[in-house]
Amino acid sequence: PFLTSLVHGPVIDHYVDPDNPAPGRDSQMVTTPDGRLRVAVRTTDLGGGQYRYHYAIMNLDHDTGIESFSVPAPRSVQTGDTGFKDGDSTADDWNVDIAGGMVTWTAPSASEVLTWGVLYSFSIIAGDSPEPSTLVLTPPASADLTVTLLAPDATIFSDSFED
């Protein structure tokens, strides 16, 4: 049988439709003088106050690539609940660290940065509901890039007392 519904464009646009994201999903383009990246997230309510956050980053044509990716990490994120996928099973998985209020995945070497045309995915499970938050992408030897997407709510008090 022939395919009857080809979708044009990068695969990440099929993961989360940037023009019409479903509830609990979001997709944003990051455009810089060095090129473009698309970052998307799907959130899933696992029940019992737990949520899965599954991020995808695709380097469309960003020259230097991305060597680390950080998401706000409220106190409910545990090390064992993090994940990384790059499409193979070799030992090149990015390292994960939870510190300074962030979960950060870092390329294990300069040869493993997120390069042109590549899509990597990252996931966490947290006991905090999704809220728009600032995520950080770090290119090698360059200023951090930020994007606002859904992430675990890092608010300490539900009544905004800390403000």
Side-chain angles (χ1 to χ4, degrees), residues 144-159:
D144 287 346
L145 307 172
T146 60
V147 62
T148 301
L149 282 178
L150 297 173
D153 183 7
T155 305
I156 297 172
F157 300 103
S158 61
D159 64 0

Side-chain angles (χ1 to χ4, degrees), residues 27-30 39 69 133-137 145-149:
S27 178
Q28 299 293 323
M29 182 73 75
V30 178
V39 185
F69 172 61
S133 299
T134 301
L135 286 59
V136 180
L137 301 116
L145 307 172
T146 60
V147 62
T148 301
L149 282 178

Side-chain angles (χ1 to χ4, degrees), residues 67 78 97 115 155 163:
E67 67 181 2
Q78 301 298 317
D97 184 45
T115 59
T155 305
D163 292 340

Side-chain angles (χ1 to χ4, degrees), residues 30 32-37 59-66 113-117 139-140 142 145:
V30 178
T32 75
D34 290 327
R36 299 168 304 139
L37 305 146
N59 182 344
L60 300 172
D61 60 8
H62 191 274
D63 268 346
T64 61
I66 297 298
V113 299
L114 178 59
T115 59
W116 283 27
S142 185
L145 307 172

Side-chain angles (χ1 to χ4, degrees), residues 15 59 124-125 141 162:
Y15 180 67
N59 182 344
I124 57 174
I125 295 175
E162 73 279 11

Side-chain angles (χ1 to χ4, degrees), residues 33-151:
D34 290 327
R36 299 168 304 139
L37 305 146
R38 172 139 333 254
V39 185
V41 62
R42 284 183 173 187
T43 65
T44 305
D45 185 343
L46 302 174
Q50 296 291 301
Y51 296 84
R52 176 180 302 281
Y53 297 82
H54 194 142
Y55 297 93
I57 304 172
M58 185 164 192
N59 182 344
L60 300 172
D61 60 8
H62 191 274
D63 268 346
T64 61
I66 297 298
E67 67 181 2
S68 73
F69 172 61
S70 299
V71 174
R75 62 214 163 276
S76 66
V77 174
Q78 301 298 317
T79 305
D81 295 330
T82 61
F84 168 82
K85 298 288 183 202
D86 65 353
D88 67 35
S89 60
T90 61
D92 64 352
D93 287 356
W94 283 24
N95 303 310
V96 63
D97 184 45
I98 301 175
M102 303 292 276
V103 175
T104 301
W105 291 268
T106 305
S109 69
S111 66
E112 299 298 333
V113 299
L114 178 59
T115 59
W116 283 27
V118 174
L119 181 141
Y120 285 170
S121 67
F122 308 83
S123 63
I124 57 174
I125 295 175
D128 296 284
S129 60
E131 293 293 330
S133 299
T134 301
L135 286 59
V136 180
L137 301 116
T138 305
S142 185
D144 287 346
L145 307 172
T146 60
V147 62
T148 301
L149 282 178
L150 297 173

